[in-house]
Amino acid sequence: MKYSITTLLFAAFIFFFSLASSGQRRLIRGVVLDSASRQPLSGATIRGKGATTLSGADGAFALTTTGKTLVCSMVGYKDQDVLLTDTGGMVQVFLAGDVKSLSNLVITGYTQQSKVKTVGSLTTISGATLQDVPVASFDVMLQGRVPGLYVGTPTGQPGEAGRVTLRGMGSINGNVQPLYLVDGVQVANTIFSGLNTEDFESVVVLKDAASTAQYGSRGANGVIVITTRKGKGWEDGKVRVDYNTYYGISQVNSSHVNPMNTNQRLQFEEIIQDPTLPGWAYSPNNPIKIVNGGSYAKTASDYAYGTYVLDSLHKINTNWAKVLLRTAVTQSDQVNISGNNGGTNYYLSLGYLNQQGIALNSGIERYSLRGNIQNTSGILKSTLNIGVVQANIRYIQDEGTAPTGGASAGGGGIAANNPIADTYFALPYQKPDANATGPNEFGNDALNEYANADLTDNQLEGIASLNEVLRLTHSLQLTSTLGMSYQQDRITDYLAPNSYFGQQVATGNAGMYQDSITMRYHLVENIGARYFKHWGSANEIEVNLLGEANRNYGTYNGYTGYGLNAQLGSSAAAITQGSSTNNYIPLVAGSTLVNNLLLSQIALLRYSYGSKYTFTASLRRDGSSQVPTTNRYINLYALGAKWNILEEPFMRGIRSAVSALRIRGSYGLTANAGGFTTDFGYQILYAPTNYGGSTAVIPQSPGNPNYNWEISHVGDMGIEFGFLDNRLYGEVDGYDRTTSNLFVNQNLSLTTGWPTVAANLGKVRNVGTEIELNADLVRRRDLKVTLGLNFAYNKNTLLTLGAGEQEQFADQVSMNRVGYPLGTFYAVRWGGVNPQTGAPIYLDINGKPTSTYNPANAVPLKSTWDPPYKGGVTLGVTYKRFDVSVLFSFIRGMSRFSYPYWYSHAADPNYRIYNQSADMLAVWQKAGQVTPFQGASYYTQLTSQYVISSDYIKLRNVSLSYSVPLSPEASRYVRGLRVFVNGQNLYSWMKWKGYDPEDANDIAQYEYPMPRTVTAGLNVSL
């Protein structure tokens, strides 16, 4: 019994000692590492019983806890439980990457956090989505992928950027393009041809004030944040090498162009009975011949000769689209090397792209080099990103080159030296011959231009950024970013002296040679502090304070010389020195394109209570040199909140069916400074002139010392949801953006010497809804089918143009009128054709039919060129080793005024010299005939019949890939092998009569059409 009592006492002692020990607080030290790269992870959350801390820049942490386990978590990684032992020592925590979690990490530029704690409206696109797409400008790849984002492509010229608007147009004279950032550095859309999407890690589109107000006046139209890839080796620590290549062809897309063939053209000429055209001049039904302006009856020999001529013409049937356009070749090669070594990770890439255009003499050849390196040493983390691109871009003539390089939004001129126009104009009974030039020899004039002209842009582009993070404590760090983007364009334009168009050069009639250099750079520097604190069980606060400077500068210098020596070819040496006697005076030009400075102070605050509640606030003070000193500084702000309803106790009963339910809202103030054509437009500007034989200056623009910021009040409400374990998930947003102090050209009295002055007078409102839905239709081990839909509607309304102003004309066919959307079309309404006379019928201002055309009867039409409806549909199928993805994009409610339709549907003497559309065989001929085409004796006028719907549904992209299984022997050398086929712009459903309705403005001319491209390639991973 005594032994038993002793044993019990001893056991009780051990038990109570254990209890005391379990409640003892102890200090735990450790380090958090990436399981694949073995690199330290900064900012990981480590939770123990009664304590929470974060890992430092070197991955190290220390906390005092009474528990026996730690839970380590970090965005982009799987949570890791760590069992603490009594042996002590350093604790090593290895976190494994979580692809699903990483996809929810949102990088907004200054900050990054998980999607559940992001209060703003935004869309994230993985860089993998944009890879292998055979398009040289990345913004075109965004079409149909982002709710509310519209990308209008002004040209199919390889490498050219589009017109991008987000949630409607918020300005008349100001900039409507979003802000683009690459690794924190602002870039212009003219640099897009130099961005290699193979280097992209992600693209984040920021839409509402909570997301964009941190960028102040630069983010008034939305922000697109591009993050390039970081180094990451294989899980066994070895260097990773990836090689990607593809080869393909491009052809003109599925257009609705139907020009007359030879038989149809000759029949048409006989119908309209124009004796200057061979179809009627040599017709056996025409008894009259014209000789030296006189009319004479035909003889038998005349009829015989006419039969011979017509037979000869019938033997020719030229398809000018096939002559002037081609099947173009695309080739791309890319090699990436990435890895990590201790505290350093690196990513190196070398890319090559050679993409021919479907028009001869056009295309892009690009070399790209990128090096990203990140090093963590103690409390300092340094990240250096450098990208360099050299590109050689060739353009067709009259596509419209801007002074900064590339095709302008107004390209595609109505001219015989534009080969796209000549595919419409050229007559089918003319033989292709580059030497058979002359008036009305449209196709041959274009061939002569191809052979004797060269328009080239040699681009050099660079983007570099250096980011430093100095962690002073676990909660406080200092940050600094220094970045630069640089673009240089050297444009040369040559027109041979003995060519058809070279002999028409006004100065000297002997060709011309143009050489110019445009240089632009952007510098950004910011420095600040970041404070992050986690306390209690769920409280979290983050504060960022920064000072920032943005500097933009650009110049243009060039000359044009004349009187070329044909033997010296395309070079400046061919120019004849100008003199007062030979009229070869060269044209020399130079200007400062951009010169502005933006100084800012930024404060960002976020508080989160777990993932249940998040509140954000931002305050930014901007000072811009583009605004007069009296109004130079402005305070911009935004407030946002998010509520994760599903984490509330009262939602427990539905969590089996509802997997996500979050409500967010934001409101803020953003601004825009650039309402003048120059950065100093608010001042009176002068230009040099000659007065009485002496040099003098004259006023060039009136200036406006009261000029102020364009201001936008932006509100947004959204709901994020998921059902059935996120088999169905998505977001719905509603927004309201009202822009006041709108930049408007105010009419002035002619006695001032100026027609207009830019002033802050207008107000415009954009109200809309965006929907994004995604569904996993099938989730099986070997089969997964996903379906996605994004849809957006935007209502744009001009509220005012200032006192007494009701309308302003943008050009000859569109206007800005109070109560209507910006870009509303304005024309005399078309009433059809009088079946008895073939005369055109118009509607007067009251809607009554009239046979008299009067421009005063023009009224606003229910048509605009900025589409109110837009969206896209995606389909993804994964079956074993096969992957298929499909993208459709669509717009609705957009119209354009079509010159190609006008010129190809007009039989009057001004236009019948051009080839016509085949349906013009139905042109009015006799009384009682019902037809939409007026008689040939009536002149064509500008009416609403040429404002045509530009709505479309496009099969934008289809991709099929297969991951090739590797044998054990091959796996020793090759870690992955994938083959793929990709198609871009494969088919369009549309009412448009022409090559393509896509464009960046209201008037369709003869722009370079978007091609259909099919490529095949492979990815190899070593």
Side-chain angles (χ1 to χ4, degrees), residues 205-445:
V205 181
L206 310 179
K207 307 175 186 179
D208 68 333
S211 301
T212 65
Q214 58 186 312
Y215 293 101
S217 58
R218 297 190 299 155
N221 301 303
V223 182
I224 297 180
V225 180
I226 302 166
T227 303
T228 59
R229 295 167 66 179
K230 303 298 185 289
K232 188 174 183 180
W234 294 108
E235 292 186 358
D236 57 9
K238 293 185 178 180
V239 175
R240 175 169 183 157
V241 179
D242 292 285
Y243 174 68
N244 182 39
T245 183
Y246 62 78
Y247 183 89
I249 59 173
S250 300
Q251 295 177 326
V252 68
N253 60 19
S254 55
S255 63
H256 290 186
V257 179
N258 187 24
M260 292 179 174
N261 59 30
T262 294
N263 291 338
Q264 293 168 330
R265 175 67 194 190
L266 292 174
Q267 180 184 352
F268 170 76
E269 293 177 358
E270 188 170 20
I271 290 172
I272 63 175
Q273 298 184 1
D274 187 336
T276 64
L277 300 174
W280 178 242
Y282 299 109
S283 170
N285 297 318
N286 179 12
I288 302 298
K289 65 179 179 179
I290 305 298
V291 179
N292 296 326
S295 299
Y296 303 92
K298 286 184 179 178
T299 64
S301 60
D302 291 328
Y303 282 109
Y305 179 72
T307 300
Y308 166 76
V309 171
L310 292 177
D311 287 344
S312 300
L313 294 179
H314 277 293
K315 294 177 182 179
I316 305 170
N317 189 24
T318 304
N319 184 332
W320 284 102
K322 290 185 177 181
V323 174
L324 299 176
L325 305 179
R326 66 181 172 184
T327 297
V329 173
T330 295
Q331 178 186 349
S332 174
D333 295 279
Q334 169 109 0
V335 61
N336 307 325
I337 301 174
S338 61
N340 42 268
N341 182 13
T344 302
N345 70 74
Y346 55 88
Y347 172 82
L348 302 172
S349 75
L350 178 64
Y352 172 75
L353 174 68
N354 190 348
Q355 188 172 53
Q356 293 180 341
I358 58 173
L360 280 68
N361 289 8
S362 68
I364 179 174
E365 185 176 26
R366 182 183 72 195
Y367 297 87
S368 61
L369 176 66
R370 172 161 288 278
N372 294 347
I373 185 169
Q374 186 176 85
N375 175 263
T376 302
S377 178
I379 63 173
L380 179 65
K381 182 170 73 173
S382 303
T383 304
L384 177 63
N385 301 316
I386 299 177
V388 179
V389 172
Q390 191 278 323
N392 184 14
I393 307 175
R394 299 186 68 198
Y395 298 99
I396 60 173
Q397 294 290 327
D398 205 52
E399 176 60 13
T401 55
T404 55
S408 70
I414 307 173
N417 64 337
N418 178 2
I420 307 302
D422 292 323
T423 63
Y424 288 85
F425 294 164
L427 301 177
Y429 49 65
Q430 294 174 336
K431 289 183 177 181
D433 184 352
N435 296 316
T437 58
N440 303 339
E441 290 281 350
F442 303 110
N444 291 325
D445 292 346

Side-chain angles (χ1 to χ4, degrees), residues 13-141:
F13 175 79
I14 296 298
F15 176 74
F16 286 107
F17 179 80
S18 299
L19 289 177
S21 298
S22 66
Q24 182 180 352
R25 298 174 64 83
R26 54 178 175 163
L27 179 64
I28 306 298
R29 296 183 183 276
V31 63
V32 184
L33 305 170
D34 185 290
S35 63
S37 65
R38 297 302 194 264
Q39 292 186 82
L41 295 177
S42 171
T45 301
I46 302 95
R47 293 184 176 90
K49 187 176 181 180
T52 301
T53 189
L54 298 175
S55 61
D58 55 355
F61 68 90
L63 84 165
T64 302
T65 179
T66 59
K68 289 190 175 183
T69 60
L70 299 178
V71 178
C72 186
S73 62
M74 186 173 182
V75 175
Y77 292 85
K78 297 177 181 178
D79 291 354
Q80 179 68 44
D81 294 335
V82 180
L83 181 63
L84 300 177
T85 65
D86 295 331
T87 58
M90 286 286 292
V91 176
Q92 285 190 327
V93 183
F94 295 98
L95 295 185
D98 185 356
V99 175
K100 183 177 180 180
S101 175
L102 187 61
S103 65
N104 291 327
L105 177 66
V106 178
I107 301 175
T108 61
Y110 297 114
T111 63
Q112 65 180 45
Q113 58 263 344
S114 63
K115 174 72 171 176
V116 73
K117 296 179 181 178
T118 302
V119 305
S121 176
L122 51 85
T123 299
T124 300
I125 300 174
S126 168
T129 304
L130 307 179
Q131 293 178 9
D132 305 328
V133 179
V135 177
S137 182
F138 100 93
D139 59 332
V140 179
M141 301 180 191

Side-chain angles (χ1 to χ4, degrees), residues 590-910:
S591 64
T592 299
L593 299 174
V594 59
N595 185 11
N596 61 65
L597 175 66
L598 180 71
L599 298 177
S600 309
Q601 297 85 44
I602 307 162
L604 308 174
L605 169 68
R606 177 180 64 86
Y607 168 78
S608 297
Y609 183 78
S611 57
K612 184 186 294 187
Y613 308 115
T614 297
F615 302 93
T616 65
S618 67
L619 178 64
R620 177 166 176 146
R621 181 171 173 82
D622 277 355
S624 173
S625 63
Q626 295 174 289
V627 182
T629 54
T630 54
N631 300 320
R632 180 152 295 171
Y633 289 91
I634 188 171
N635 296 321
L636 307 171
Y637 65 89
L639 300 171
K642 182 176 245 182
W643 178 24
N644 191 346
I645 307 175
L646 203 61
E647 291 205 358
E648 297 292 348
F650 60 80
M651 297 295 290
R652 290 175 182 171
I654 66 169
R655 289 177 184 171
S656 59
V658 181
S659 47
L661 187 60
R662 299 182 288 267
I663 294 178
R664 52 177 165 76
S666 66
Y667 181 82
L669 180 72
T670 62
N672 185 9
F676 285 97
T677 56
T678 72
D679 286 331
F680 298 95
Y682 60 86
Q683 298 179 347
I684 298 177
L685 301 180
Y686 298 88
T689 188
N690 185 284
Y691 181 76
S694 301
T695 301
V697 293
I698 58 173
Q700 188 179 37
S701 64
N704 182 358
N706 297 317
Y707 170 78
N708 209 334
W709 298 78
E710 216 173 49
I711 298 174
S712 295
H713 292 83
V714 185
D716 183 278
M717 286 292 296
I719 181 170
E720 303 168 3
F721 55 85
F723 301 101
L724 304 175
D725 191 26
N726 280 348
R727 290 183 72 95
L728 175 65
Y729 59 97
E731 302 180 22
V732 178
D733 273 89
Y735 61 87
D736 187 332
R737 176 170 65 138
T738 301
T739 306
S740 56
N741 280 1
L742 206 67
F743 303 136
V744 174
N745 289 329
Q746 182 182 18
N747 294 320
L748 297 178
S749 169
L750 295 180
T751 59
T752 65
W754 312 104
T756 62
V757 62
N760 301 96
L761 297 174
K763 180 185 288 188
V764 66
R765 186 182 186 191
N766 288 279
V767 180
T769 302
E770 296 170 355
I771 300 174
E772 183 174 6
L773 295 174
N774 298 279
D776 292 342
L777 302 180
V778 180
R779 281 185 186 174
R780 296 178 183 172
R781 180 179 178 182
D782 291 334
L783 176 64
K784 183 177 181 181
V785 180
T786 61
L787 181 67
L789 166 69
N790 73 79
F791 171 82
Y793 168 72
N794 181 78
K795 182 180 180 180
N796 177 279
T797 307
L798 180 61
L799 301 179
T800 181
L801 283 170
E805 292 282 349
Q806 288 298 311
E807 60 190 31
Q808 287 189 349
F809 294 93
D811 49 44
Q812 69 267 37
V813 295
S814 66
M815 66 184 308
N816 299 316
R817 185 169 186 170
V818 174
Y820 288 81
L822 295 178
T824 294
F825 283 97
Y826 182 85
V828 174
R829 288 168 289 178
W830 174 251
V833 175
N834 187 322
Q836 299 303 316
T837 64
I841 301 174
Y842 312 104
L843 301 182
D844 66 16
I845 198 168
N846 298 313
K848 296 181 180 180
T850 177
S851 59
T852 302
Y853 180 83
N854 185 352
N857 287 326
V859 298
L861 307 178
K862 294 181 179 180
S863 303
T864 179
W865 59 274
D866 191 52
Y869 302 93
K870 58 190 76 72
V873 177
T874 59
L875 174 66
V877 179
T878 300
Y879 177 68
K880 294 184 177 181
R881 293 180 172 272
F882 289 94
D883 286 286
V884 178
S885 67
V886 180
L887 171 65
F888 292 88
S889 66
F890 61 87
I891 64 170
R892 181 173 175 79
M894 176 178 176
S895 298
R896 302 185 69 217
F897 182 86
S898 176
Y899 273 114
Y901 185 81
W902 179 343
Y903 276 54
S904 62
H905 290 83
D908 71 62
N910 290 330

Side-chain angles (χ1 to χ4, degrees), residues 970-981:
S971 298
R972 296 173 55 189
Y973 308 99
V974 180
R975 304 209 183 198
L977 178 61
R978 184 177 72 97
V979 295
F980 62 88
V981 178

Side-chain angles (χ1 to χ4, degrees), residues 149-164:
L149 185 76
Y150 172 67
V151 183
T153 50
T155 171
Q157 161 71 39
E160 287 307 297
R163 176 184 69 89
V164 179

